[in-house]
Amino acid sequence: MDSRKLLNLALSKGGDYADLYVEKSFYNTITLQDGEVNAAGVHQEGGLGIRVVKGQNTGYAFTESAVPSDREKTALIASHIANNGAVVKTADRFTTAQLPNRYPSLIPWESMSVHDKMPFLYRLNELIFEQDKRVSKVIARLENSTSSIDFYNSYGDHFSDIRPLASLLVVCIMEQNGHRETASVSRSFRMGAEFLTHELVSQLAKEVTERTAFLFDAQQPKGGEMPVVMSAGSSGILLHEAIGHAFEADFIRKNESVFSDKMGEKICRNGIYVIDDGTLQGNRGSLNIDDEGVPAQKTYMVTDGILTSFLHDRISARFFNTTPTGNGRRESFRYAPLPRMRATYMENGKDTEESLIASIKKGLYVDTFSNGQVQIGAGDFTFFVKSGYLIENGKLTQPIKDTNIIGNGPRTLSTIAGVANNLLIDDGTWTCGKGQTCPVSCGMPSVLVESLTVGGRI
Amino acid sequence: MLQKMTEYVLQSALKKGASHVRVTAVRDVSNELTVLNHSLEKIQSAVESVLHIHLFVDGRYGTCSTNTMQTGHLDNLLNQSIASIKLLAPDPFRTLLPKELQYKGVPLRDVFSGDVETEEKKDLLFSSTASIQNKNPALINATAHYTDSIRWVHIADSNGLHCTSEKSWFGLLTECSVLGENNTRPSDWNFIGGTNPIHISAAHESMRQTLDRALNKRNPKKARSGIYNVVVENRVASTLLAPVIDAISGAQLQQKNSFLLNSLGQRIGSSVLTLIDDPHKTGVPAYSFFDYEGNATKKRTVIEKGILNLFYLNTYHASKMQMPCTIATPSTLLLTGGKGDVLSLTKQMQHGIIITGFNGGNCNTATGDFSYGIEGFLVENGQITTPINEMVMTGNMINLWNQLHIAGDDAQPISSRLLPSLLFESIELAGL
């Protein structure tokens, strides 16, 4: 591929910047259902995405063809975002970035056949049925993918990155006296086939069985405003929804976020640090380098209660005259990059989870979640709670389930009343949607929020 | 070219040891343009193709897919896939669609015959955003997002199935964000679409409505927790139908992960609830002659006066459940028999809440228990008054649909779920 020629064509109408994103990806799945591993899938795809940036504006086109003339046509389509201005030329030579290795594949997935993978799913199924007589159905799915990326831009930057991603998901359905309940658990890492271990299988079997059985004793809580203790780990969904999206700098530069004019302001109590991190070894949200050639980094969004950084791609960083934070991500060659989260979490505080619970006379403790959403401009966010407990007089009492919790981002941040010292990163299959999907993760120590609106029975 | 590839894959897979094969070829041509205020923010074009290959090998089953249309690559993919499938456990329930269910009619062709030049699309967008600039000082951003697409699909199998469809669609999404109190920036949207290009007057009207909606959302309050009558606006009513459709899909039913298991012939909603699946309705995106297995579609009554009449069962789930195969997925769903629009339902309700948007939430597929964040307006004496937010609607799906009191007839033909505005009685809402 003549990268320089393509970039110059892309810039020929007066664009400021152009990049090429060449991807080849392989996806494999096997599924266990009704006691048998009897379905497998293979998906292979590749293509070239060409982006041209003019100011804050983007021209984007992609082709699945490797024929040079098709690729040149694609570059010309993307070039049309610009229609005047001096023509910028691509740098004379490309410098290849030396990348860290945040996701080594010790055992390449290609070395593992379907036959090698199947026993893990069978064992998972067996363990779940052994652990509880009420289990009626188990669905387990193993997914692994490898994406090979080659990137070139008009500044002369080049990188090659190979990104593995592995996920194991299990759904358990139980029946008790004609009543059914279902729960799921998952793990996902950027790893090779060393991901698959008997220890992982045992953990998932235990967790999914316990979670499903728990639901028979749980009920939807009484609704209304109340204090909520969010347990360590997957409660990081609060940060993802209440803070992360509203800190993505495309919303900021368009003045559409409720946090648009709060840079440098105190937004929560002292001692709170919120981070978006692309550097965690093997984490689902980690990257060696982002999808527009900026090294991934650990970004402090909130430092000691002060808003200190938004999440930037190249366009927003240029707009704000700052450096990009390595958050320019895309689902595939079919999409232009946008500011996206990676692993979003809060650092430890000084409280203990026990003390946070003990401080509540009447409230809610929540510990597993399925999905969330936010309205960037209004600041209202929600997350769906799969399980938790009522807190009564400082103790966990009645199990609860299936409630949507809603709050307002800035107000919720300002009412975080306690942060425990038990930070946990959740390694489930978190996937963020923003017109295109990206694998992410989240984490949090246990946190007490003074007031949130809990959906429930009246 | 792609149809030839379909035949090549079909024959090649059989030669390589597959007992049966189904191949679906899809080609999408799409264009997107976005104007933000006075600036062309984004322009994107794409042509993409994919082959989805379903392989039945020695009583076993697997799939593969690719966007690389070279015979050497396809042969390698088939070799690898067939070798892997041979290692799986057998699955006697996997079969091709029986011949008697195959669609054997003419190809479906619903493609706009003219051309819309890029400059025309730009003019539409720029004039739409310009039409509301300076209309209100609270306006922060006006965005107009245009899409057009042509999708061609061809399905063939080794049992003699051949069916083709080609459809085009035009869409315009308008969004406005405005300045509210406490530095909030409420926003709203509107979508218009159809099988013909968007007319400029419709685009302007959509933009005007979008600005009004965003302005009306400013300075919301949280209402007291309580039991309310609610009107759910037509454009968001499908959120409440989605769990019902999921619960009558073969995938959930066969796994006993459905709150509507064993509900065929049972009452699952009030007598106001009649739901028709009409695949042959034209001018809507789900217009179809066949499903993804090539099964010929026909008009069906899914729910009649509250009684469930249909499970969505493809060949696999039907076989596993020892029930007749119906159709794999819904096409265009119409909730029929109602009268009135959102305002007339609001007047009939007199007091309550009109829900204009959902904010997150979910439904437990096994139990039907749900909880959704809502936004909308208080209704007092039949009049829409204060905007409300940060409230949550909670209940059980079967109870909810049994509390459907009045349906309107104001469904918008812009999606595959043509639901009118709906008035439900006695809904639990958590707020203050």
Side-chain angles (χ1 to χ4, degrees), chain A residues 34 40 42-44 46 57-58 60 64 180 225 254 334 371 375 377 380 402 404 411 453 457-458, chain B residues 39 41 43 48-49 63-65 67 73 141 185 222 254 256 320 361-362 364 371 375 389-390 428:
Chain A
D34 295 325
V42 178
H43 177 65
Q44 301 183 357
N57 304 328
T58 300
Y60 198 78
E64 296 167 323
R180 282 176 297 279
E225 287 187 347
K254 295 179 195 173
R334 295 186 176 88
N371 55 292
Q375 295 179 344
D380 294 347
D402 294 333
N404 202 44
R411 205 176 330 122
T453 302
R457 313 319 290 253
I458 303 300
Chain B
S39 176
E41 188 191 28
I43 182 167
E48 51 191 316
S49 305
T63 61
C64 57
S65 57
N67 69 348
H73 169 80
N141 286 324
R185 293 155 173 82
K222 192 189 300 192
Q254 191 274 324
K256 298 186 176 180
K320 276 196 146 180
N362 210 328
N364 183 326
S371 189
E375 62 182 25
N389 72 338
E390 272 194 75
E428 294 171 275

Side-chain angles (χ1 to χ4, degrees), chain A residues 9 32 44 72 77 101 111 141 146 153-154 163 168 180 190 258 265 277 292 301 332 335 406 408:
Chain A
L9 273 175
L32 176 143
Q44 301 183 357
E72 287 162 18
I77 291 169
N101 191 0
S111 70
R141 189 168 67 248
T146 306
N153 70 15
S154 52
R163 298 171 180 168
L168 181 57
R180 282 176 297 279
R190 290 198 181 279
V258 70
E265 289 186 17
D277 194 347
E292 48 179 11
M301 298 189 287
S332 73
Y335 298 88
I406 194 162
N408 181 272

Side-chain angles (χ1 to χ4, degrees), chain A residues 225-246:
Chain A
E225 287 187 347
M226 61 189 78
V228 176
V229 174
M230 307 197 60
S231 77
S234 58
S235 293
I237 190 172
L238 171 81
L239 303 175
H240 184 96
E241 302 297 353
I243 300 177
H245 277 301

